Amino acid sequence: MRAKLERDFDRFKRELPRDFPAHVRGIYRIDLTARYLGELVPHPIGKGSGQLSLNPGQLEDDAAAGLAFAVLKTVIAEDETGARAMAAWAIHETKMKVERRPADAGRAGWTVTWKGRGWDRPFAEYLALVRAGRDLTRAGRLLVVPSVKYHLPRLTEPFREGEYRHTTARLADAWREPPLLVEQDFSPTLAGDALADDRAQILRWLREVPVRIRAASPIPVRVAVKLMNARFDDAFQVDMMNASAEADALVCFNRLFDGRRGVAYGGWDLSDRNLGVLDLFRQSPGLRPGSVEKLTPHASAGIPELSGTGNICSGRMILEYARRGCESVQLHTFFQLPLSEYPAVHGSRPQRALHALVFHPREGLIAGMLELEARGELERQSGELRFLDLRAHAHRAG
């Protein structure tokens, strides 16, 4: 198996097969099937919301590269008059800067710095992007999910129901066929805002926003909540996860916020915190993640599906998230590295990223799963290793 992997790694440097999950299943007897928002996808690697998913050309490139899914740039909810309570987050993008960021422990990781926030163009243009994503999804080429920042009131204020109704109805009209998939974005810049100073206020958002999105949609909807890293301790991150029981999925967790520089950042500090919180969540009493067969965990299992994000720079890091309960992962920074950082010599950045993440003979997803098998920590079912079986290691205490 090791010799086969080294040969594949070398020959796929020039061209990655479009249907590489089928190749992995045929040669290594490894089923990479994963899940996001109740939808089965061919492997666990998707693109997180950001400026790498704000036009149809980028989505076409992602589909051609073989990504499993892509979350669109976050649009700011508005009512029928165009008014937006969260308009401060519709800031035009500045140029992204890919840079090294040393972690507290000394390891040098990558982060992308920019001053922009959410979608700053007309809502009608966003709906056109949603329709383009819908067509790719219907064709089975790429699962595309819109992302929204809905109104988040202060503790004593009501939710702006008009923004929920109008925005969700327009998205549903653009998507047409149920279910509508939506990711609610608690962006890292929110963590640096005075709105996020109150713990009770944050927990209210997490309890109520998924319910309000669901009530506002004219068609069945599944809601993912992309949780921020709040400026409180790890125990509060677990409280946030527990407060989000009405969501169908949780994306754990958005980037850290540097209050001194006024920017969000990633790197090893981010993954260290995220994985530590997921460990704490597993150890805390409560329900374990819903069974693999459940498509709507909020309605029956009490614990949403998990998707990991943060410093996913290798297949082994994907496995770190998977063994803590995540059924998929979302990347952003790793798709923007200098070309010299990828072992592949041809292809788009998403293709080069997939090549490294899956086929690297030491740090890749295949190598990591084979190593788990050799240690007796992952067993074959009907002759196959299955990515989704990794979640069995992540059952919660209690």
Side-chain angles (χ1 to χ4, degrees):
M1 283 294 186
R2 177 73 64 181
K4 290 179 181 179
L5 186 53
E6 289 177 349
R7 286 196 299 269
D8 278 349
F9 179 67
D10 186 62
R11 68 191 181 110
F12 293 158
K13 287 179 180 179
R14 290 170 288 280
E15 184 177 8
L16 183 71
R18 170 62 181 85
D19 192 4
F20 70 85
H23 175 86
V24 171
R25 194 167 191 175
I27 299 299
Y28 303 96
R29 305 304 296 161
I30 293 177
D31 181 0
L32 294 179
T33 300
R35 189 189 315 275
Y36 182 58
L37 258 180
E39 296 291 324
L40 291 178
V41 288
H43 62 84
I45 304 165
K47 178 179 284 185
S49 175
Q51 52 274 55
L52 298 182
S53 50
L54 49 70
N55 63 62
Q58 291 171 321
L59 299 181
E60 284 286 347
D61 289 345
D62 291 343
L67 287 186
F69 64 95
V71 183
L72 299 180
K73 179 73 176 175
T74 300
V75 71
I76 311 304
E78 63 181 49
D79 65 18
E80 61 184 6
T81 71
R84 297 174 295 181
M86 308 296 287
W89 272 264
I91 296 177
H92 183 70
E93 301 295 348
T94 55
K95 184 176 177 59
M96 294 182 290
K97 183 179 181 182
V98 181
E99 56 188 346
R100 289 283 192 177
R101 182 175 178 113
D104 289 342
R107 290 173 295 179
W110 290 97
T111 189
V112 176
T113 304
W114 74 97
K115 296 285 188 178
R117 291 184 175 181
W119 182 269
D120 65 325
R121 306 173 193 174
F123 189 28
E125 292 185 21
Y126 192 83
L127 295 173
L129 181 62
V130 171
R131 288 190 288 270
R134 173 201 67 199
D135 293 343
L136 286 170
T137 301
R138 297 282 187 270
R141 299 179 59 206
L142 178 73
L143 175 66
V144 178
V145 178
S147 173
V148 187
K149 183 181 291 298
Y150 286 92
H151 176 227
L152 303 173
R154 296 191 181 278
L155 194 58
T156 58
E157 296 175 345
F159 284 85
R160 295 200 180 184
E161 304 288 357
E163 293 188 11
Y164 281 78
R165 287 194 302 270
H166 178 73
T167 300
T168 311
R170 295 292 303 277
L171 290 173
D173 181 63
W175 196 257
R176 295 183 184 171
E177 297 177 18
L180 171 66
L181 308 181
V182 175
E183 186 173 288
Q184 154 64 23
D185 184 11
F186 284 85
S187 65
T189 53
L190 181 65
D193 191 89
L195 266 177
D197 284 342
D198 190 313
R199 298 184 189 215
Q201 195 160 270
I202 294 173
L203 296 179
R204 178 200 179 196
W205 298 336
L206 296 172
R207 285 192 297 267
E208 297 192 33
V209 165
V211 176
R212 293 179 183 278
I213 296 172
R214 201 168 284 117
S217 180
I219 63 175
V221 60
R222 298 183 198 152
V223 181
V225 173
K226 189 171 187 178
L227 294 169
M228 64 182 171
N229 268 296
R231 290 173 294 159
F232 303 112
D233 59 16
D234 290 356
F236 183 69
Q237 291 296 119
V238 174
D239 290 342
M240 290 170 62
M241 295 179 73
N242 287 324
S244 305
E246 287 297 326
D248 294 290
L250 301 180
V251 183
C252 306
F253 300 92
N254 221 323
R255 299 192 300 161
L256 300 168
F257 188 76
D258 185 334
R260 181 179 59 82
R261 294 181 60 194
V263 296
Y265 67 95
W268 289 101
D269 287 335
L270 174 58
S271 56
D272 286 348
R273 187 183 199 207
N274 288 0
L275 296 174
V277 170
L278 289 171
D279 280 336
L280 190 61
F281 179 68
R282 285 192 303 157
Q283 296 159 10
S284 63
L287 296 173
R288 66 187 186 181
S291 66
V292 169
E293 292 77 20
K294 302 296 185 183
L295 290 183
T296 54
H298 82 274
S300 53
I303 297 295
E305 167 194 310
L306 301 181
S307 183
T309 189
N311 192 39
I312 297 171
C313 53
S314 69
R316 289 188 181 274
M317 184 61 80
I318 295 173
L319 293 174
E320 292 293 334
Y321 280 97
R323 297 183 74 197
R324 289 163 173 84
C326 296
E327 297 179 274
S328 64
V329 293
Q330 299 186 13
L331 290 69
H332 197 264
T333 298
F334 197 68
F335 294 133
Q336 302 180 71
L337 302 186
L339 291 180
S340 60
E341 293 295 317
Y342 302 107
V345 295
H346 290 292
S348 64
R349 278 183 170 82
Q351 287 173 316
R352 296 180 192 220
L354 287 169
H355 168 258
L357 293 169
V358 176
F359 290 98
H360 194 285
R362 293 178 302 280
E363 300 299 319
L365 188 55
I366 296 171
M369 291 182 69
L370 291 174
E371 186 175 305
L372 290 175
E373 180 188 25
R375 296 206 306 257
E377 297 178 28
L378 184 63
E379 296 181 356
R380 292 183 181 267
Q381 305 293 331
S382 301
E384 293 185 333
L385 296 178
R386 301 189 300 201
F387 176 80
L388 284 174
D389 285 346
L390 290 163
R391 196 184 59 165
H393 295 273
H395 288 171
R396 297 183 69 189

